Amino acid sequence: QVQLVESGGGLVQAGGSLRLSCAASRRTFSSYTMGWFRQAPGKEREFVAAISSSGDSTDYADSVKGRFTISRGNAKNTMYLQMNSLKPEDTAVYYCNVIVSVGVARPIGSWGQGTQVSVSS
């Protein structure tokens, strides 16, 4: 099973930007549809963005559309989440995972430790 390691989180002011990375342990990463999820304190984990194995199809939660961009570099076994115009409500631990499909963002892999994103007002 592929192992995933998230990185790139940090503390940023509202309106700022961060770029998260999700590094995969296996070269078969290029065959997986992938997604980003987040979990804020006291809340359920929620879907953020999805990307097809080739990268030509993406989907976003309404709350991040127009601000976040998901991408991937299959040659580097890595997926990214560019987050712009960050808001305090984006504060959460961010996770990546293998998902069923872009239209069915159900996670099917193991969860990593995630990366903390904190946005101050």
Side-chain angles (χ1 to χ4, degrees):
Q1 193 169 15
V2 63
Q3 291 185 324
L4 303 168
V5 178
E6 302 92 346
S7 64
L11 174 63
V12 64
Q13 289 187 331
S17 299
L18 283 173
R19 189 194 196 202
L20 305 184
S21 296
C22 170
S25 61
R26 300 180 64 173
R27 280 180 282 183
T28 50
F29 169 78
S30 62
S31 65
Y32 299 137
T33 299
M34 299 293 298
W36 282 102
F37 298 80
R38 67 186 181 185
Q39 187 168 21
K43 295 188 176 181
E44 296 287 322
R45 187 149 34 198
E46 65 177 2
F47 166 75
V48 175
I51 188 166
S52 62
S53 57
S54 64
D56 60 359
S57 180
T58 59
D59 190 25
Y60 297 91
D62 287 343
S63 59
V64 306
K65 278 181 181 176
R67 300 188 299 121
F68 291 12
T69 302
I70 189 171
S71 63
R72 64 192 298 162
N74 285 341
K76 295 184 177 182
N77 293 342
T78 304
M79 177 178 65
Y80 307 98
L81 186 68
Q82 178 66 43
M83 306 187 296
N84 298 328
S85 302
L86 282 161
K87 304 176 181 180
E89 50 264 44
D90 295 318
T91 294
V93 179
Y94 284 70
Y95 302 87
C96 59
N97 208 327
V98 181
I99 60 175
V100 173
S101 68
V102 170
V104 182
R106 179 168 63 87
I108 57 176
S110 299
W111 295 107
Q113 292 190 336
T115 186
Q116 175 71 49
V117 171
S118 299
V119 185
S120 62
S121 57

